[in-house]
Amino acid sequence: MTTFPLFHLPLVAIDHVLCMMSPFDLLDLSLTSTKTKKAVKDFAKLKTKFLATLFASSDSPSISISRGLNQRLPVLETWSFTWTTDETKIGHKTEDFGVSHNVTKYSENPIGDLMKWYDYIKEVLGCPFRSIYFNLETFPNQNRLIFDWLCSHQNSFGYMRIYSKDKQQSEDIKYLFNNIRRAEELSLTGDLNEDDFHVEIPEGRNLSIQNARFINYEQLLRLKHQDIFFQYSNLTNQEINQFLKSWIACESHLDLKTIEIPTQSRNIMDFLIDIPNEVTTDPATLLKFYHRFFFTVHQAHSIHRSDGKMGSMIMTRVKDTFSLCLLVD
Ligand SMILES: *[C@@H]1O[C@H](CO)[C@@H](O)[C@H](O)[C@H]1NC(C)=O
Ligand SMILES: *[C@@H]1O[C@H](CO)[C@@H](O)[C@H](O)[C@H]1NC(C)=O
Ligand SMILES: *[C@@H]1O[C@H](CO)[C@@H](O)[C@H](O)[C@H]1NC(C)=O
């Protein structure tokens, strides 16, 4: 590669050559000289948009790079770097019919090496993180270090999936959520049912919380997300009724499209006390529930917001859990 006379080519041709190169090749090329590094940086800044994903949910963490989301291919081609302490995993693999490439390197300190290499990738290819997959149990002593490092790069993310089962990590969750400003799609799974656990949720569009028992009524009213899904909740029938009234009065949840909240009661009328509503069997409405919640129902209850928007509600049942689902037109 060092003997290829890249800089003897006209500028347009240099771009054509760089355009055909994968992120692996571009990074290799950037390491050959300061001149090539600058060429790659200029090219990446103007001509492509790379995005990164962090996978820190196994003891071999990875960084995956892809060419943004608008590429024309139906499948996103990805180039990944993985660091492992297991020597049997080392190597270069291409999978999924050639669209996923993965280089696995040996490291005594996978997280440390991942952070160092990403700092370089970011400098050269300028690829921010879009997605984060993080299991707080994988590197329990390094969570803060990783969060500080992540937030030194950016405090807004497209997709963030945090898994935490150990109650000890609830402080780490607070630390992270206090430091990020926005997560478009945020998913928090695992158990956080400490009695005094409480955390503010970063802004975003979709919110999914497995154990949302810590979300009280006041906090529910503060959420501005478009899609909200709770798998467990301590909200009372009366609080859910109040929430619906607040929505109807345009006092909260102005952007809400869907919400699913587990309930104590299985009777939808318990939530509709003092709320005008009518039963609908409109197939188009019922089909929307099927598409959004994978639930077949024969009727729904319509409620009307003071500005004219309509919402429809059903109860769903999964095993012993009943949930109220609201879908806004
Ligand atoms: C890359 O390969 C390693 C070793 O097989 C694996 O642990 C890791 O999950 C892979 N990473 C990606 C992003 O596919
Ligand atoms: C997030 O919201 C968008 C827009 O409403 C929707 O298309 C998408 O399916 C949602 N994602 C999840 C994981 O619910
Ligand atoms: C939720 O309710 C359960 C059962 O009543 C209770 O044991 C638990 O402490 C409550 N959790 C919170 C966070 O309020």
Side-chain angles (χ1 to χ4, degrees):
M1 185 174 298
T2 42
T3 56
F4 181 75
L6 183 64
F7 293 106
H8 296 173
L9 297 172
L11 273 178
V12 178
I14 296 181
D15 272 355
H16 276 301
V17 173
L18 297 183
C19 227
M20 286 183 301
M21 293 173 91
S22 74
F24 282 170
D25 298 332
L26 289 171
L27 289 164
D28 279 345
L29 180 64
S30 77
L31 289 165
T32 58
S33 75
T34 28
K35 202 172 170 192
T36 56
K37 183 172 168 185
K38 183 169 181 310
V40 173
K41 274 169 89 167
D42 291 347
F43 164 78
K45 200 183 282 167
L46 294 171
K47 296 283 156 59
T48 74
K49 184 161 166 52
F50 290 109
L51 293 171
T53 300
L54 173 68
F55 293 98
S57 28
S58 80
D59 51 13
S60 302
S62 303
I63 289 198
S64 269
I65 304 173
S66 65
R67 266 204 186 95
L69 297 169
N70 328 333
Q71 70 175 40
R72 269 163 292 151
L73 291 171
V75 188
L76 220 50
E77 190 166 14
T78 59
W79 293 267
S80 310
F81 297 95
T82 301
W83 289 263
T84 179
T85 49
D86 176 356
E87 287 181 57
T88 62
K89 287 186 179 167
I90 300 170
H92 185 152
K93 268 191 299 192
T94 291
E95 281 166 351
D96 303 329
F97 306 101
V99 298
S100 80
H101 317 268
N102 183 355
V103 172
T104 305
K105 299 176 183 186
Y106 176 78
S107 169
E108 299 276 346
N109 175 6
I111 284 296
D113 285 334
L114 176 149
M115 295 196 296
K116 251 188 266 167
W117 184 230
Y118 175 76
D119 292 344
Y120 183 78
I121 298 177
K122 173 96 184 287
E123 184 202 339
V124 175
L125 299 183
C127 61
F129 282 116
R130 181 184 134 70
S131 309
I132 308 287
Y133 294 81
F134 207 118
N135 182 343
L136 300 187
E137 289 179 304
T138 315
F139 305 98
N141 303 321
Q142 287 177 288
N143 287 337
R144 299 283 175 112
L145 178 80
I146 301 168
F147 295 161
D148 284 340
W149 167 77
L150 265 181
C151 295
S152 75
H153 281 293
Q154 62 194 84
N155 62 8
S156 175
F157 300 87
Y159 182 85
M160 189 170 249
R161 186 180 184 121
I162 306 291
Y163 178 81
S164 157
K165 215 167 117 215
D166 193 333
K167 292 187 171 73
Q168 325 244 277
Q169 264 120 44
S170 55
E171 285 304 313
D172 287 344
I173 301 259
K174 285 188 206 174
Y175 187 79
L176 175 66
F177 284 7
N178 286 335
N179 282 290
I180 62 179
R181 191 180 58 76
R182 200 171 164 85
E184 286 310 323
E185 295 186 37
L186 179 64
S187 153
L188 181 60
T189 51
D191 201 1
L192 291 163
N193 208 15
E194 268 186 337
D195 287 338
D196 58 351
F197 179 76
H198 181 78
V199 67
E200 283 303 315
I201 306 294
E203 293 170 15
R205 198 183 62 223
N206 298 35
L207 179 65
S208 165
I209 303 181
Q210 184 176 18
N211 186 348
R213 290 192 171 99
F214 70 90
I215 304 263
N216 60 25
Y217 177 67
E218 286 72 31
Q219 187 169 19
L220 173 69
L221 286 202
R222 285 199 297 277
L223 296 176
K224 298 195 168 68
H225 295 72
Q226 187 180 291
D227 294 288
I228 299 173
F229 168 75
F230 297 153
Q231 197 174 337
Y232 301 102
S233 163
N234 269 16
L235 293 164
T236 63
N237 297 346
Q238 202 197 350
E239 286 169 333
I240 294 174
N241 173 254
Q242 289 298 325
F243 148 73
L244 291 172
K245 287 177 178 164
S246 148
W247 177 80
I248 287 168
C250 289
E251 283 166 5
S252 68
H253 301 97
L254 291 175
D255 299 323
L256 191 68
K257 290 222 164 106
T258 55
I259 186 168
E260 178 167 353
I261 312 177
T263 54
Q264 287 156 1
S265 164
R266 60 181 68 186
N267 180 359
I268 200 162
M269 296 321 283
D270 288 343
F271 310 105
L272 285 168
I273 293 167
D274 298 331
I275 296 180
N277 69 89
E278 63 266 5
V279 170
T280 172
T281 53
D282 170 38
T285 303
L286 302 182
L287 197 61
K288 279 191 211 155
F289 280 104
Y290 180 73
H291 285 160
R292 185 60 186 83
F293 300 102
F294 306 108
F295 235 86
T296 311
V297 285
H298 303 295
Q299 63 173 52
H301 289 257
S302 302
I303 56 177
H304 301 273
R305 203 160 80 171
S306 59
D307 66 352
K309 267 222 181 291
M310 195 182 77
S312 314
M313 293 162 46
I314 58 165
M315 295 297 294
T316 61
R317 178 187 183 166
V318 177
K319 292 191 192 135
D320 291 330
T321 309
F322 291 84
S323 299
L324 181 77
C325 302
L326 170 68
L327 209 152
V328 181
D329 274 356

